[in-house]
Amino acid sequence: MAAELEPITGRYLRLELQGRPHRLYFEEAGTGIPLLCLHTAGADGRQFRHLMNDPEITGHFRVLAFDMPWHGKSLPPAGWQRTDYRLTTAAYTQLILKFCQALELARPVALGCSIGGRMILHLAIEHAGRFRALIGLEAADFQDPWYDTQWLDRAGVDGGRVSAALVSGLIAPQSPAESRHETLWMYRQSGGAVFKGDLYFYRVEADLRPRIGRIDTRRCPLFLLTGEYDFSCTPADTRRTASRIAGARVTIMKQLGHFPMSENPAQFRRYLLPVLEEIRGLGRNRRTGAAGGTDRRRRQGKGR
Amino acid sequence: MAAPRRSTASDKHPRAGRPRQVTRQAARLAALLERLPELANGDRRLVWEGRFFSADLLLGIDGLQRLLSVREGRVTGFERGPLLMRSWCFAIRASAQAWSRFWQPVPAPGWHDLFALTKRGAASVEGELTPLMANLQYVKDLLALPRRLVKST
């Protein structure tokens, strides 16, 4: 009997990040326009396994997702035991740009969820010309916090359990039990300290409100999709963000929460496929080039 | 839904001797809470989830208060009061409107989770929170049990 193999392949990439050697795990499937997917805080690239197993997507897109350092199968850098993990904007941005450069991804589409969604907005502000299109899931320039992250990493409280229990409320009640609990399992497995370290970027560092008006969607189309049950990044947060970006496209997704790609893949693809189809159409009319070019000159003076 | 209850002596203010402002909605929701021990203890999976949890927690619906005692995942006590100088570990209070929306079989967005309620200012959580956070999924599942009794409104 033939082995039932999925089309996903996983490899390790050696990258120097923040001056230190890293061994980064990533998975990919499909051929065509590169589509780089950024996972949520305290999770890993497995959140995108349904996209990578969807022939309607992989027939046109090369879908890639890495596990950020410290997450999933990507180890922390040597000497990690002497530091508290804290994700910074600089480190996260460098990771994405170096990954695209190393794999020679030609003007990829980037799609990110939650902290990945915040990073999408940062990329739209600072590096729009390197990307064909940007898709922010559960993305906003700022969100009000709703719990104290000190609970994620302390003696007497299991970090995996409390992380999963906190985010369980961000999943829509309609999401199937199997995919709901698969989503939560990633939080049960992930260290609470890693989740907390990611939220440093989210809550402390990357308040984009002062800069959000600089996004120019004529240079790079921006799509924002938010689940109606997400009370962390609420539909109102996304709409408020989009109101300051001319040309940003907003969709509020019914019966979905904070983890659309993993909590209810069937429902999510109803919203994602038309966006990807539109991006394919854009791609036929725009020039292509290798990721890594500079956009500073064209950015100056726009939308400030 | 269970039949509405009248407010009991426990809902009277101990000093003034007159009833607190207890709405019909709050009384109806408190009646749902009466079923919590039976619902919880009949759910073997939930009891197993809560096997590390033992605490007394205060639940508030508008002006009504109920004290729930849990030992190793089983609800061992449910008191209507009067709760005079009683100690409790932590308290979860919300308006009758918030509990009513929270206990819908399929709650609307923003009313579907304890922290969705606290974030919008419709509920409060206070007291010694370590047992709550160490057993958070159990407590959230326990609080959601009345959904099984409610028909959509």
Side-chain angles (χ1 to χ4, degrees):
Chain A
M1 191 171 126
E4 193 177 343
L5 296 174
E6 294 191 3
I8 302 173
T9 56
R11 299 197 69 175
Y12 289 90
L13 172 68
R14 301 289 180 104
L15 273 182
E16 185 163 301
L17 299 169
Q18 303 288 297
R20 301 163 81 183
H22 282 70
R23 184 168 178 263
L24 196 78
Y25 179 73
F26 71 98
E27 293 180 345
E28 68 169 287
T31 54
I33 300 168
L35 173 61
L36 175 62
C37 300
L38 309 174
H39 61 74
T40 63
D44 57 66
R46 285 176 295 178
Q47 289 180 323
F48 298 102
R49 75 177 181 93
H50 300 283
L51 270 68
M52 293 187 193
N53 274 301
D54 189 332
E56 285 195 54
I57 298 174
T58 54
H60 305 286
F61 290 87
R62 178 186 177 192
V63 186
L64 305 105
F66 52 67
D67 295 349
M68 293 167 69
W70 298 75
H71 300 67
K73 295 174 86 167
S74 296
L75 291 167
W80 68 270
Q81 71 277 12
R82 293 190 295 272
T83 59
D84 255 351
Y85 168 64
R86 273 186 171 183
L87 180 66
T88 64
T89 305
Y92 196 3
T93 307
Q94 185 191 50
L95 165 64
I96 292 163
L97 298 184
K98 281 203 165 186
F99 181 83
C100 291
Q101 205 165 23
L103 294 185
E104 299 179 335
L105 304 181
R107 287 188 68 239
V109 178
L111 172 154
C113 187
S114 186
I115 61 165
R118 183 72 59 81
M119 175 47 66
I120 289 296
L121 295 173
H122 175 74
L123 294 174
I125 295 168
E126 300 291 345
H127 303 283
R130 299 176 192 237
F131 295 91
R132 187 180 308 248
L134 293 164
I135 306 170
L137 309 178
E138 320 308 317
D141 53 5
F142 175 80
Q143 294 138 236
D144 287 320
W146 49 281
Y147 65 93
D148 186 340
T149 58
Q150 298 297 324
W151 288 108
L152 300 178
D153 182 30
R154 62 190 290 162
V157 177
D158 182 294
R161 279 181 180 271
V162 73
S163 298
L166 281 164
V167 303
S168 68
L170 299 176
I171 296 174
Q174 297 89 350
S175 290
E178 182 180 343
S179 49
R180 160 187 292 271
H181 289 286
E182 180 180 305
T183 301
L184 296 179
W185 178 246
M186 292 178 218
Y187 282 85
R188 289 282 290 264
Q189 284 189 307
S190 164
V194 175
F195 188 24
K196 181 185 171 190
D198 286 339
L199 294 177
Y200 177 79
F201 160 78
Y202 207 36
R203 290 191 179 184
V204 180
E205 250 223 344
D207 180 350
L208 298 182
R209 286 174 294 184
R211 297 188 291 135
I212 198 71
R214 288 166 51 183
I215 293 176
D216 183 352
T217 57
R218 291 169 299 183
R219 294 174 54 223
C220 181
L222 176 65
F223 300 86
L224 301 176
L225 293 84
T226 293
E228 63 174 346
Y229 276 93
D230 188 349
F231 67 85
S232 178
C233 175
T234 66
D237 289 325
T238 299
R239 286 195 181 104
R240 183 203 65 239
T241 302
S243 72
R244 299 187 54 203
I245 310 168
R249 303 272 296 280
V250 177
T251 304
I252 305 304
M253 300 182 287
K254 295 281 183 193
Q255 300 188 4
L256 284 166
H258 192 71
F259 308 95
M261 61 282 174
S262 64
E263 70 173 71
N264 192 343
Q267 178 75 348
F268 176 53
R269 76 193 292 279
R270 294 188 185 125
Y271 292 99
L272 181 64
L273 289 183
V275 170
L276 294 180
E277 176 64 29
E278 187 171 338
I279 290 171
R280 284 172 58 207
L282 292 168
R284 285 190 280 272
N285 301 322
R286 294 171 72 99
R287 67 175 177 80
T288 58
T294 179
D295 320 307
R296 200 169 299 129
R297 184 180 55 77
R298 285 193 293 170
R299 190 178 64 237
Q300 283 176 347
K302 285 198 171 180
R304 291 185 179 180
Chain B
M1 184 180 287
R5 290 177 59 88
R6 295 171 64 87
S7 59
T8 64
S10 63
D11 301 321
K12 290 180 180 175
H13 192 286
R15 283 179 301 175
R18 51 191 164 81
R20 292 180 177 183
Q21 292 297 313
V22 178
T23 62
R24 282 186 183 173
Q25 188 182 29
R28 190 171 64 246
L29 295 168
L32 289 180
L33 275 183
E34 304 266 339
R35 303 272 307 274
L36 206 60
E38 161 203 339
L39 290 170
N41 297 339
D43 187 330
R44 291 176 59 186
R45 176 69 196 180
L46 182 69
V47 171
W48 183 82
E49 267 301 323
R51 64 198 182 281
F52 304 119
F53 181 71
S54 294
D56 295 335
L57 52 142
L58 189 77
L59 299 178
I61 306 173
D62 285 342
L64 290 178
Q65 298 189 113
R66 298 291 183 263
L67 189 76
L68 205 63
S69 298
V70 181
R71 298 293 178 267
E72 297 179 352
R74 296 186 66 82
V75 178
T76 57
F78 182 89
E79 294 181 48
R80 298 184 203 103
L83 304 173
L84 303 175
M85 299 182 69
R86 286 296 304 269
S87 297
W88 37 262
C89 181
F90 59 88
I92 298 174
R93 297 185 174 94
S95 65
Q97 185 213 23
W99 284 121
S100 178
R101 300 188 73 163
F102 178 75
W103 283 332
Q104 288 298 303
V106 182
W111 300 94
H112 61 290
D113 182 75
L114 173 63
F115 295 107
L117 298 184
T118 58
K119 188 179 181 189
R120 69 187 307 142
S124 66
V125 179
E126 57 195 316
E128 168 49 50
L129 301 189
T130 305
L132 168 67
M133 299 306 282
N135 298 274
L136 185 58
Q137 193 64 59
Y138 169 79
V139 176
K140 286 171 67 169
D141 291 346
L142 181 72
L143 292 177
L145 284 175
R147 284 178 190 158
R148 296 181 188 172
L149 304 173
V150 176
K151 292 177 183 171
S152 294
T153 57

